[in-house]
Amino acid sequence: MSLRVLGCSGSIAAGCRTTSFLVDDDILIDAGTGVGDLTLDELARIDHILLSHSHLDHVLGLPLLADSVMRRRAGQPPIQVHALPATLAVLREHVFNNLLWPDFTRLPHPRHPVLSLHEINTGQHLRLGRRERHIEVLPARHSVPAVGYGVEGENGWWVYTGDTGPNPALHPLLANRPVQHLVIEIAFSEAERGVAADSLHHCPSTLAAELAHVPAGARVHLTHIKPGEMPAVLGDLAERLPGLALHPLTAGDRLDWD
Ligand SMILES: Nc1ncnc2c1ncn2[C@@H]1O[C@@H]2COP(=O)(O)O[C@H]2[C@H]1O
């Protein structure tokens, strides 16, 4: 199984794309600005989009993607957008409201729209995509309702925490499965631990505590670091976790696992 990192930054700047991961070629996990680096053909192959939460840096690409692929996908089923009920409510009310953006859940035709919205809930197991990937909806603790996702390969899981602060509900779920790749968020350096606590993100001290619950053998990837904060975050982490191999993701990375 292969996964492309389209975006993994906590916000934008030149060279920084916000969160989006492409599983195989037809399942998108989050729809941040990284989506804009896909070709039109690649965009049109996406059949499912899983959103972790409603924040702009994770959904910004969705309304634009819908407009871009509408012609190419004529005659195909709608792209299924899967998210918590609260996330879908935000999309309906604040994005696809014919004010901020046209309602692509009814366009180009109400009976043949380019997008359809589907409720999911924490703990749910899905089978999605041409390869019927097994995907689990994982708990997350953020400033708005949020989830993470796990995708099962033949010999192990890719787990994405979503945006989250300390999240004890995830610990037993990590312990109970072979995790090959853990993509864990960290947004701020230790100097901004107050903002991290207020906005329910990790900073180095909370991440270090969280990593104590990661199963041995999992390769740990860092995501969602705010632009310009990489040196401070990595420096703080090296002090707290000397010798531990942590891999900051970069847009364009490819993770392969079985
Ligand atoms: N209390 C706060 N103080 C400063 N910045 C904040 C605060 N709450 C949220 N933010 C910022 O707003 C951003 C919204 O998206 P994120 O949760 O990724 O990251 C958040 C922070 O960067």
Side-chain angles (χ1 to χ4, degrees):
M1 187 174 319
S2 95
L3 178 140
R4 265 171 81 182
V5 179
L6 306 177
C8 52
S9 174
S11 196
I12 59 163
C16 297
R17 313 276 194 278
T18 70
T19 308
S20 193
F21 304 105
L22 185 65
V23 178
D24 301 322
D25 62 350
D26 56 345
I27 302 173
L28 193 68
I29 297 186
D30 274 337
T33 65
V35 169
D37 285 338
L38 292 174
T39 66
L40 185 55
D41 282 344
E42 288 170 331
L43 289 171
R45 278 199 285 274
I46 294 168
D47 291 326
H48 296 273
I49 300 177
L50 297 142
L51 298 176
S52 63
H53 64 297
S54 60
H55 275 165
L56 208 50
D57 54 322
H58 295 253
V59 305
L60 197 56
L62 173 64
L64 296 163
L65 177 152
D67 187 30
S68 292
V69 303
M70 191 173 59
R71 283 157 292 278
R72 293 277 174 114
R73 289 189 60 97
Q76 285 184 245
I79 300 167
Q80 295 186 24
V81 179
H82 307 269
L84 289 172
T87 306
L88 296 181
V90 171
L91 292 178
R92 285 193 189 95
E93 190 172 347
H94 300 290
V95 179
F96 299 112
N97 58 7
N98 293 316
L99 293 171
L100 189 67
W101 202 247
D103 182 2
F104 281 100
T105 68
R106 296 179 57 77
L107 291 171
H109 187 281
R111 276 189 283 121
H112 304 288
V114 67
L115 299 180
S116 59
L117 306 183
H118 302 263
E119 291 187 0
I120 55 169
N121 283 292
T122 305
Q124 196 171 334
H125 293 255
L126 308 163
R127 287 265 171 201
L128 296 180
R130 282 188 284 281
R131 294 163 193 80
E132 302 208 321
R133 295 297 183 201
H134 175 199
I135 299 176
E136 184 171 350
V137 186
L138 301 172
R141 285 185 65 237
H142 196 37
S143 51
V144 294
V147 296
Y149 291 104
V151 184
E152 186 177 22
E154 260 178 43
N155 300 312
W157 289 74
W158 174 86
V159 172
Y160 162 52
T161 61
D163 280 16
T164 187
N167 184 15
L170 188 62
H171 303 164
L173 300 176
L174 289 176
N176 287 340
R177 74 195 66 209
V179 178
Q180 291 196 347
H181 295 282
L182 174 68
V183 173
I184 189 164
E185 81 113 277
I186 176 164
F188 301 106
S189 72
E190 203 58 29
E192 289 192 279
R193 62 184 169 280
V195 181
D198 287 348
S199 59
L200 278 165
H201 279 290
H202 280 299
C203 65
S205 52
T206 61
L207 188 87
E210 205 77 352
L211 290 180
H213 301 277
V214 173
R219 187 175 169 90
V220 178
H221 309 268
L222 307 178
T223 190
H224 209 281
I225 297 171
K226 294 286 177 179
E229 295 303 299
M230 184 79 76
V233 167
L234 294 184
D236 290 342
L237 283 171
E239 263 179 36
R240 284 177 169 72
L241 301 163
L244 192 71
L246 301 170
H247 310 276
L249 286 178
T250 305
D253 283 352
R254 240 173 231 275
L255 306 184
D256 292 300
W257 81 106
D258 299 321

